[in-house]
Amino acid sequence: MSDLILYVGNKNYSSWSLRPWLALEGCGVPFEDVVIPFDFPAGNPEIHKISPTGRVPVLYHGDVRVWESLAIIEYVAELFPEAGLWPQDAVERAAARSYSMEMLSGFRALRGACPMNIRRAVAAIDLPNGVMDDVSRIETIWREALARSGGPFLFGRFTAVDAMFAPVVNRFEIYDMTSDPVSRAYMKAVKTHPAFQKWQAAALEETWIVPEDEA
Ligand SMILES: N[C@@H](CCC(=O)N[C@@H](CS)C(=O)NCC(=O)O)C(=O)O
């Protein structure tokens, strides 16, 4: 039994939960997960019992509680340095963190209009202003990193920054947002990664419907 417990939201919808979950799973860090669905109109009161923000993800490690997706990744990266959550090279690590921070703090138009939804069938939707600017910046990041590393992941092997962008891979896919061959190859690498497949299989088992996340 692992002493790391990661509380996550619905695997079908919870993009912020997917990020640390995938970083840990994809880098071979032992942990357990507990799903707390947000299928209540006013939010699930259970989330408030375990999270200071009333949001997931939250990590428990004995008495230590860490919230916010990127803070969780950083905590676990320090706990398991050999797992290689970040690139080993300091300059590459700085770039990976910069991209991850862009994801955490930006791309609001895309995130607002195009919710992650693992089980959704592929279908384009009308996109409000700003969404394609976000798509363009993300594709520039991917192109830049993949050209430097040679792929198949942004920094060669799978790292936390790929986990940070994994919900975007789902969004690009289900809303049919790109035909760029470099993006498509990267999306395929993420979607076929065993850790992503494991999350996807669990998401497909879920039956909760969250109407506001059904674009
Ligand atoms: N900045 C936070 C965002 C967390 C967040 O917004 N989580 C959503 C799920 S993806 C949530 O808990 N929603 C529940 C609710 O609003 O009731 C992070 O990076 O962890």
Side-chain angles (χ1 to χ4, degrees):
M1 185 169 143
S2 167
D3 54 358
L4 288 181
I5 301 175
L6 184 65
Y7 289 87
V8 298
N10 314 31
K11 289 185 175 168
N12 189 59
Y13 300 113
S14 184
S15 59
W16 293 112
S17 300
L18 169 58
R19 293 177 169 102
W21 189 98
L22 198 60
L24 272 58
E25 181 73 24
C27 293
V29 172
F31 71 105
E32 288 171 34
D33 67 3
V34 177
V35 175
I36 307 190
F38 40 83
D39 60 334
F40 295 72
N44 185 339
E46 292 302 312
I47 300 182
H48 290 267
K49 289 186 191 159
I50 54 108
S51 166
T53 57
R55 290 178 180 272
V56 280
V58 179
L59 180 78
Y60 278 72
H61 178 217
D63 292 338
V64 178
R65 178 169 69 171
V66 189
W67 59 100
E68 289 287 330
S69 51
L70 197 52
I72 293 169
I73 288 173
E74 292 291 4
Y75 179 77
V76 174
E78 285 186 26
L79 212 54
F80 291 89
E82 70 288 351
L85 266 74
W86 294 114
Q88 203 161 13
D89 177 78
V91 174
E92 299 225 314
R93 198 159 58 245
R97 284 185 165 130
S98 299
Y99 294 146
S100 297
M101 280 306 303
E102 276 195 65
M103 184 68 248
L104 190 73
S105 59
F107 308 128
R108 289 180 191 278
L110 172 68
R111 279 164 39 207
C114 308
M116 182 181 100
N117 186 338
I118 300 285
R119 73 176 155 243
R120 187 183 198 273
V122 175
I125 56 171
D126 288 337
L127 300 172
N129 282 346
V131 173
M132 286 317 289
D133 292 341
D134 288 349
V135 171
S136 165
R137 172 62 193 152
I138 291 166
E139 293 200 296
T140 300
I141 290 173
W142 290 358
R143 212 175 305 115
E144 197 175 271
L146 291 165
R148 233 177 13 232
S149 71
F153 295 103
L154 297 178
F155 288 81
R157 65 182 173 81
F158 182 88
T159 63
V161 67
D162 300 296
M164 289 301 291
F165 280 101
V168 167
V169 166
N170 169 259
R171 288 169 162 115
F172 280 16
E173 170 79 17
I174 61 175
Y175 302 112
D176 199 13
M177 301 177 91
T178 182
S179 53
D180 178 79
V182 175
S183 294
R184 283 271 154 198
Y186 173 62
M187 288 160 64
K188 187 171 178 195
V190 172
K191 284 186 302 173
T192 56
H193 191 287
F196 187 89
Q197 296 265 310
K198 189 171 169 184
W199 175 279
Q200 179 175 273
L204 294 177
E205 295 280 305
E206 292 179 352
T207 52
W208 301 292
I209 306 280
V210 178
E212 60 268 33
D213 284 340
E214 293 291 336

